[in-house]
Amino acid sequence: MSIARQKPLFPHRHLLGIEGLSRPEIEHLLDMAEEAVEVSRQVEKKRSILRGRTQINLFFEASTRTQASFELAGKRLGADVMNMAVANSSVKKGETLIDTAVTLNAMRPDIIIVRHHCSGAVDLLAKKVGCSVVNAGDGSHEHPTQALLDALTIRRRKGRIEGLTVAICGDVAHSRVARSNLILLSALGARVRVVAPSTLLPTGIERMGVEVFRDMRAGIAGADIVMMLRLQRERMDGAYVPSLKEYARFHGLDDEKLRLAAPDALVMHPGPINRGVEISTSVADGPQSLINEQVEMGVAVRMAVLEALAQHLPNA
Amino acid sequence: MLHAPIALVNARLVDPVSGQEGRGGVLVSGGLIQDLGAGVTRDAVASDIRIVDCGGDVVSPGLIDMRVFVGEPGAEHRETIASASRAAAAGGVTTICVTPDTSPAIDDPAIVDFLMRRARDNAQVRVLPVAALTKGLKGREISEIGLLGEAGAVAFSNGRHSVRNAQVMRRAMTYARDFDALIMHVAQDEDLAGSGVMNAGELASRLGLTGIPREAEAIVLDRDMRLVAMTGGRYHAELISTSLSLDIMARAKQQGMRVSCGVSINNLTLNENDIGDYRTFLKLMPPLRHEDERLALVEGLASGVIDVIVSDHDGQDVEAKRVPFAEAEAGAVGLETLLAAGLRLVHADQVSLPILLRAMTSRPAEILGLPQGRLAIGAPADLIRFDPDEPFVVDPATLHTVCKNTPFDEARLQGRVKMTLVAGAPVHE
C-alpha cells in the first residue's frame, strides 16, 4: 500500500475546452458522470462533495438550459450557487471583463462557470482568478460540457463511441458545440463528418480531421448518429443562407432524409430547437430522437466535472 | 406537339463546334436532328417529308442569346414574352435567357414558374429565366438559389447592377457552388461610374458629358476573379467592354478558373463616335467605347477570350429616349439585328463565320449546360437558314419588338434570317 498521493485521474484545475484533454481523462469524466446519472435518479439527490463551497454562474450570454443545468449540478453536490444576472450588472455599465473577474475573485468563490459571447474570453478570465473555472461556452470556440454530455448520451445508447460514424450537421462555422464535439468524438475514435452549406463551414475545416459534405443526403448516408446544430435566426435571412424555407428544404432533417442514415441511427440536438427549420417536429419527437436524454445527461456530466475539479480546490 | 418532319437540303452547313463547313442537308423529325451531312439530299429523303431547298444558304444552329430583357412581369409596355419571342424568331434566336430585373424581380420560385408558364403559352422560342442573385436585386441578401434552380432558373444574375458588397458576393459565390449554379454578373463599380453617361475620354469631354472610366468595369471584375479563386464557383462576366477586362479574363482562364465572359453586339460593332449628335439610341450600358477598345474586343472574340456575344436586348419606350442624352435611359433592342450586325465582322474579315456562330450558339450552350446550339445527330432541331450576303436596310417600323430603339436604325446590314426552326417547328419563314 502506497502512501504517496496518486496522480489524479483528472489533473486540471479548470475545464476550458476539450482541446488538450487526453482520452483517459475524457473517459474518466464520462465514468464519473455515469455514477451521477444514478444519483440524479434517486429520490435523495443531495451529495456533500461541494458542501461549503461557492459556485458562481457568470453568464454574459442569455441561457436557460445550460445555466439551469449547472445550477442543479452544483446544488446536488451541496454547493451554494449564485447566478449572476449580467444584464443588470456593472458589466453593462462598462466594466471590463478583467475588472469583473477581479471583483468576483475578491468574493472568494471556489468555482466560476462562465459563458461569454467572445471566443477566448473564458481563458482570459481564468487567468485572473484564483478559483476553478468551467467554460460554459465561449463565442464560436468551445462548449466542453455539451460535448461531454453528447458523448455520454451516445456511449450509453450505443455502448461505444469508437468506430461510430457521427454526422454533425448545420451551422458548423459559428458553433462551439461542433468544435468541442469534433475534437472529443475524434479523440474517442469516432468517424466525424460535418455537413453544411459552404457558407456555414469554417475555412480550413478539411484539415481538421473530418469528412466534409455540402450535400446533406450524402453527408448523413449510413451515419450512426445525426447531430443537428441550431441555426441562429439572424443567419437565416440572406446573409449565410437565403431563407428558412430553403434551409429546411436542403439542410433540415426530416423523416425522408433520416431514412438515408443507418437504420438504428440516433438523432441529437443541443437545443433549443427550431422546429421545421433544422429539424422537423416528427424527427425531433420521434423514436430516434435523444434530445430529452441529452438534457438529463447534461446535469450528470456537469456534476462529474464539478466533482473532478473539486479535487483540486484548496483544502480538498 | 411535335412538328411534321422537315428536310433542309442544298445548304452550306456550318458547325460551330468543329468549325467545319460543308454542303449538305439536315433531316429533322421528332424535334431532333435525325440526320445531317452530304447524304441528306432531295433524292435521299422520303417523298412524304417536306423539303426546303436552301439554295446554298447557310444552315446553322439557332442562336442562344444569354441576355434579353423582357418586361414580364411589370414592364409589358416595353416588351412581352410574345413580342420578344416573335423578334427572336425573326432574328434567328431560338433560345433567350431573360434577365431578372423585372418588377417584381425574379427572386422567388413562383415568379420563375410564372415566366415558364407564360413562355409555354406565348413563346415560339425557348425562354430560360435567369433568377436574381440577391433578393430584390438589392445586393444585400442571397436569394433562394437552390429553390430557384429547382423551379427552372438557368443561372443567377444581379440584373443591370453589380453587387457592390464584396462580402455578399463572396457568400453568394460560396453558396452557389454547392448547387454548381452559374453566377452571371455585370461588373461596374457604381461609385466610379457615378453619374457617367458615356465612355470617359476626349469625346465625352468635347460633348460635355460625364464619362465612365474603363476602370469602373475592371475593378469589379478583378475583385470578382479574386473571389472566384477564393470560392471556386462558376462565374460568367455578362458584358465586358474594355481591353482591361480582356486581360483580366485571359489571366483567370490561364489559371484554370471556371469563368467565361460575354460581350454585347453593340460594343463589338459600334464605338463612341456613333453617338454623334447626342443620339440617345446609342446610349448603352456598358457605354460604347473608343475604337481601340472595340478592336481589342474583336481580337478577344477571335482568340477565344470572349466566349459569348449577346444582343443585350433592352427595349426602351419612346419617352425614355426622347430626352437629352444625359437624361435618357440606357439600352437598345437587338434581337432582330444580332446576327446581321455580327456578320459585319465576318464581312470585314475580322473573324470567321464559325467563330462568330460559336459565340452565339455552342459556347452559350456549353456555359448554360444546354443540349442545343450544335449541329449533331440527336441534338434539338433548333436551326436557322440565312444568306450571309443578302443586303437589307434596318427599318424600325418592321421590327417585331414593342420598342423600336435600335442603334442600327437605317443601317445597311447583310444577312437576313430566312427560316427559323425551334424543336423542328418552323417559327419564322
Side-chain angles (χ1 to χ4, degrees), chain A residues 196-199 203 214 237-243 245-246 249-250, chain B residues 135 140-147 150 170-171 174-175 177-179:
Chain A
S198 291
T199 42
T203 308
R214 272 93 181 172
D237 213 22
Y240 292 87
V241 293
S243 67
K245 189 170 73 178
E246 175 144 328
R249 168 82 176 70
F250 294 101
Chain B
K135 290 179 190 168
R140 289 198 283 269
E141 298 163 354
I142 314 168
S143 62
E144 295 175 329
I145 289 172
L147 296 172
E150 283 189 342
R170 173 205 177 178
R171 294 216 180 111
T174 303
Y175 190 79
R177 193 193 55 184
D178 289 356
F179 297 92

Side-chain angles (χ1 to χ4, degrees), chain B residues 196-387:
Chain B
V197 296
M198 69 170 288
N199 182 45
E202 185 192 335
L203 185 60
S205 299
R206 286 182 187 280
L207 290 172
L209 294 172
T210 314
I212 299 173
R214 300 181 303 160
E215 287 76 6
E217 183 175 296
I219 286 170
V220 173
L221 191 62
D222 205 33
R223 176 203 77 175
D224 284 356
M225 289 305 121
R226 287 171 198 278
L227 292 175
V228 172
M230 182 178 168
T231 60
R234 283 207 295 144
Y235 178 98
H236 176 76
E238 287 192 71
L239 296 170
I240 68 165
S241 68
T242 77
S243 54
L244 302 178
S245 300
L246 282 169
D247 292 344
I248 294 168
M249 292 307 304
R251 204 162 53 240
K253 287 181 167 193
Q254 265 166 21
Q255 290 167 0
M257 287 157 61
R258 299 196 298 162
V259 296
S260 54
C261 65
V263 61
S264 159
I265 188 68
N266 302 318
N267 290 101
L268 208 49
T269 56
L270 301 167
N271 68 35
E272 59 182 354
N273 295 317
D274 290 301
I275 290 171
D277 196 13
Y278 301 96
R279 293 172 62 207
T280 58
F281 280 16
L282 280 299
K283 184 173 178 182
L284 303 164
M285 199 60 68
L288 296 176
R289 301 285 184 184
H290 191 273
E291 175 67 2
D292 291 347
E293 299 295 310
R294 187 190 75 82
L295 291 173
L297 293 174
V298 173
E299 209 170 287
L301 174 67
S303 70
V305 174
I306 291 178
D307 298 272
V308 167
I309 303 170
V310 296
S311 71
D312 194 21
H313 181 87
D314 185 14
Q316 298 292 343
D317 59 88
V318 177
E319 299 313 320
K321 287 288 189 184
R322 206 158 56 185
V323 290
F325 192 88
E327 293 174 3
E329 291 290 338
V333 295
L335 278 168
E336 284 162 271
T337 48
L338 174 62
L339 178 64
L343 286 168
R344 275 187 170 180
L345 305 176
V346 176
H347 293 304
D349 282 331
Q350 288 173 317
V351 296
S352 69
L353 182 59
I355 281 182
L356 179 77
L357 289 173
R358 185 183 67 191
M360 296 178 171
T361 59
S362 58
R363 272 309 281 150
E366 286 161 16
I367 291 165
L368 296 167
L370 304 174
Q372 63 264 35
R374 57 210 175 92
L375 274 190
I377 292 171
D382 293 8
L383 298 167
I384 54 173
R385 168 193 171 195
F386 62 95
D387 173 0

Side-chain angles (χ1 to χ4, degrees), chain A residues 258-269:
Chain A
L258 183 55
R259 274 196 286 275
L260 300 169
D264 59 348
L266 297 170
V267 176
M268 304 176 75
H269 191 298

Side-chain angles (χ1 to χ4, degrees), chain A residues 155-229:
Chain A
R155 201 177 75 168
R156 284 170 63 92
R157 276 304 194 99
K158 292 284 187 188
R160 67 189 168 106
I161 287 172
E162 179 95 46
L164 293 180
T165 298
V166 182
I168 302 176
C169 308
D171 188 1
V172 179
H174 303 96
S175 176
R176 52 197 175 213
V177 175
R179 274 177 188 64
S180 291
N181 258 313
L182 70 87
I183 299 168
L184 190 154
L185 293 167
S186 301
L188 294 193
R191 283 193 302 270
V192 180
R193 301 174 179 174
V194 296
V195 184
S198 291
T199 42
L200 296 179
L201 287 170
T203 308
I205 182 76
E206 293 84 356
R207 292 188 295 278
M208 297 184 194
V210 296
E211 262 190 287
V212 182
F213 292 85
R214 272 93 181 172
D215 176 353
M216 191 176 188
R217 290 165 190 281
I220 65 175
D224 300 299
I225 304 288
V226 181
M227 190 179 280
M228 300 306 299
L229 299 171

